[in-house]
Amino acid sequence: MTPDSDPPPPMHLSIKLEDGFFLGFVLLVSVAFALVIEPFFAAILWGVIVAIVFAPVHHRIRAQMPGRTNAAALLTLLLILLVVIVPAFVLGAALLQEATFFYGKVQSGEINFVRLFYDVIAALPDWLRPYVQRLGITNFYAAQEMVTRGLTSSFRTLAGQAFQIGQSAFSFFVALGVMLYLAFFLLRDGDWLARKVAAAAPLRAGQRTALIEQFVIVTRATIKGSIVVAIVQGLIGGLVFWALDIQGALLWGVLMGAFSLLPAIGTAIVWVPVAIYLFATGAVWQGVVLVVCGALVIGSVDNVLRPILVGRDTRIPDYVVLISTLGGLELFGFNGIVIGPVIAALFIATWNIFTRMRGEDAGIDAAKEG
């Protein structure tokens, strides 16, 4: 080395620079990969959800077929098709047919909402009229404006998502294929992939294990505690409407299932107005049956089933479910029904883990000082 030459940089500075550059490159590649798969975000999300929910079933099937991992995953996928996908398509086709029939009646004037509204107002008892007038809903168009103002943009977003699915059937079937294809590999290699993700995560071993366990638990809890309860409530509500010979029972049942995902709103937003209409038009016994079934049967499904399916330890407060579901719908569309509550549950679980670990660290420090 000549006296005029610069000394080489310290070794630790060179290592830090290389590590920093590599970390930035990792982040850049990860963002680029996220942008590449973004068009199939929903398919990937539901593929992961399906794999997590059906993982216990797959483990039982695989235990009966040792050494045949592909066959076990394929059999589980076939079960998913028979239990979930095929019934969903049958229901969707029947719902589309009933919605088309109902829309035709509205267009032909056979169902006239303005006339129905004024019939209900005219049939109200005298003691109830002052309260209705005080609310300002004696005029149909004023009531319509009030209801429109009350609807959140979340419901408009949900309707828009459903419309887009109907408009782009090809894209929907491509996404469905991607979801099932991904679910097959996640079922087959899920345990190995979970270990790889856990090993790559820059977290302590305890934090890593706790977060992965909580993610699986809250995802299953959200699906079982929300989707299954919604299906049961919608099914019971639709059967009650059908038994009472109310037109559009399937459509009303699906609506009740959708609204049951929102705890503060629930199925009452559908059956209460119908019950009021039945009472107002003289169908008293049908109205009584609907109120009894709605309040005691449909309304109690959530209180009975959810603790059994989810368990009290993983249940999050209803107000958190409501806010996170509406926020999820606003941000992610239809997928927000699952994403919102899962994020909320992970938020609560993460802070619980953090609080517990801080308490353990404080206990260790206190023991050392003692």
Side-chain angles (χ1 to χ4, degrees):
M1 184 186 335
T2 61
D4 296 332
S5 63
D6 295 329
M11 182 64 69
H12 65 89
L13 290 179
S14 176
I15 293 174
K16 285 183 178 179
L17 180 62
E18 292 172 357
D19 289 344
F21 178 81
F22 183 71
L23 179 60
F25 183 72
V26 169
L27 293 175
L28 180 63
V29 172
S30 300
V31 171
F33 180 70
L35 292 175
V36 168
I37 65 174
E38 190 272 336
F40 294 99
F41 169 75
I44 295 169
L45 170 71
W46 286 100
V48 172
I49 289 172
V50 165
I52 289 175
V53 171
F54 282 88
V57 177
H58 175 65
H59 290 157
R60 293 192 189 96
I61 294 175
R62 192 174 59 187
Q64 302 298 321
M65 306 172 66
R68 301 178 63 185
T69 55
N70 285 329
L74 193 59
L75 190 58
T76 307
L77 201 63
L78 181 61
L79 182 65
I80 293 169
L81 282 169
L82 294 175
V83 173
V84 179
I85 306 299
V86 172
F89 272 105
V90 173
L91 176 63
L95 180 63
L96 181 62
Q97 183 179 4
E98 186 155 323
T100 304
F101 177 73
F102 186 79
Y103 180 73
K105 286 195 169 187
V106 174
Q107 288 291 94
S108 65
E110 187 176 347
I111 297 177
N112 189 319
F113 288 108
V114 177
R115 187 177 67 245
L116 289 174
F117 177 83
Y118 285 115
D119 286 345
V120 171
I121 294 296
L124 288 176
D126 293 335
W127 62 268
L128 191 58
R129 290 177 183 274
Y131 297 100
V132 174
Q133 290 173 351
R134 194 177 304 166
L135 290 173
I137 56 174
T138 53
N139 180 276
F140 175 79
Y141 298 102
Q144 185 182 45
E145 184 181 352
M146 182 184 298
V147 171
T148 303
R149 285 201 307 266
L151 291 175
T152 64
S153 58
S154 301
F155 297 114
R156 290 194 295 271
T157 302
L158 181 60
Q161 290 283 321
F163 180 75
Q164 287 176 12
I165 289 174
Q167 289 294 98
S168 54
F170 177 74
S171 299
F172 172 74
F173 281 107
V174 170
L176 179 63
V178 170
M179 184 201 78
L180 294 173
Y181 184 74
L182 177 63
F184 170 81
F185 288 101
L186 289 176
L187 288 167
R188 191 191 70 176
D189 306 324
D191 296 336
W192 175 79
L193 286 170
R195 288 194 297 271
K196 294 289 288 184
V197 171
L203 297 168
R204 295 179 184 176
Q207 295 172 338
R208 191 167 56 226
T209 303
L211 283 175
I212 291 175
E213 289 177 353
Q214 285 298 316
F215 176 74
V216 173
I217 289 171
V218 299
T219 301
R220 286 181 184 154
T222 300
I223 295 298
K224 291 192 297 183
S226 298
I227 305 300
V228 174
V229 170
I231 290 172
V232 173
Q233 287 187 314
L235 178 62
I236 295 174
L239 289 174
V240 171
F241 274 53
W242 173 78
L244 294 175
D245 198 24
I246 298 173
Q247 290 187 347
L250 178 62
L251 185 62
W252 296 122
V254 171
L255 285 174
M256 279 189 276
F259 281 111
S260 71
L261 295 169
L262 305 175
I265 300 173
T267 58
I269 198 172
V270 176
W271 64 259
V272 167
V274 176
I276 293 173
Y277 169 76
L278 291 174
F279 282 120
T281 54
V284 177
W285 75 266
Q286 292 96 328
V288 171
V289 171
L290 183 57
V291 169
V292 170
C293 291
L296 300 182
V297 181
I298 302 173
S300 63
V301 167
D302 183 76
N303 297 327
V304 173
L305 273 186
R306 198 181 295 269
I308 297 173
L309 294 171
V310 178
R312 300 189 182 277
D313 294 338
T314 55
R315 184 171 181 177
I316 57 179
D318 285 345
Y319 58 87
V320 176
V321 175
L322 174 65
I323 295 171
S324 59
T325 302
L326 292 176
L329 284 168
E330 183 69 24
L331 286 175
F332 303 103
F334 178 78
N335 302 306
I337 289 176
V338 174
I339 298 176
V342 166
I343 291 176
L346 281 175
F347 171 80
I348 294 172
T350 301
W351 276 97
N352 287 337
I353 293 169
F354 176 73
T355 304
R356 185 174 67 249
M357 288 185 170
R358 282 197 63 189
E360 291 173 357
D361 292 342
I364 293 172
D365 293 340
K368 287 180 179 179
E369 292 176 0

